[in-house]
Amino acid sequence: MDTEIRQLEEALRIAMLSSDVAALDALIADALIFVGPSGEVFGKQDDLALHRSGRQKLSMADWQSVEIALHDQTAVALTTAVLAGTIDGAAFSGRFRYCRFWGKTAGVWQVLGGSVVALPAAMEAIA
């Protein structure tokens, strides 16, 4: 199961980087609850709309580490990433940490929820 979640995290990375809305739609649960870096809460349709509209464009999404904790038909993925791109035309870049909750329903793994935070410069040596 660990390998499967790692493969799904990679598929999610590629879908995010290319704004592949169809792939994101398949990977994200309809009832997604996701907390963004400034505390805003997003649902699945919010996330898909960001990619569909081009409001968010990633030029880099490199997963530096992925840690997986398995729990029956759920998994928690803690991913440290270097991201760069634009949101609403404003450039951003830096190191971020995602915490994603994956669940398996009817034989299909999807992201049920999660959050992302920007890592402060002081975390560079620790992370």
Side-chain angles (χ1 to χ4, degrees):
M1 195 161 74
D2 182 272
T3 301
E4 191 173 9
I5 298 300
R6 288 180 189 284
Q7 290 170 342
L8 289 164
E9 280 286 318
E10 177 62 9
L12 187 60
R13 183 190 75 79
I14 292 167
M16 291 168 58
L17 189 56
S18 62
S19 288
D20 184 340
V21 175
L24 291 168
D25 186 40
L27 290 164
I28 298 171
D30 289 342
L32 173 78
I33 298 173
F34 192 86
V35 179
S38 63
E40 68 276 33
V41 178
F42 294 99
K44 177 178 183 171
Q45 294 309 315
D46 301 318
D47 188 56
L48 296 179
L50 276 175
H51 288 278
R52 190 178 289 118
S53 68
R55 287 184 51 219
Q56 176 180 289
K57 293 183 182 185
L58 293 176
S59 57
M60 178 181 14
D62 291 334
W63 283 185
Q64 294 187 320
S65 68
V66 178
E67 298 174 45
I68 308 290
L70 304 172
H71 308 276
D72 295 325
Q73 296 298 300
T74 62
V76 179
L78 185 64
T79 302
T80 302
V82 175
L83 304 176
T86 59
I87 183 100
D88 290 330
F92 72 90
S93 66
R95 292 187 67 215
F96 295 82
R97 183 157 296 138
Y98 288 93
C99 183
R100 280 190 276 267
F101 303 94
W102 291 87
K104 193 171 192 178
T105 305
V108 177
W109 285 100
Q110 290 184 309
V111 177
L112 306 173
S115 64
V116 62
V117 295
L119 295 177
M123 292 291 295
E124 294 295 322
I126 298 170

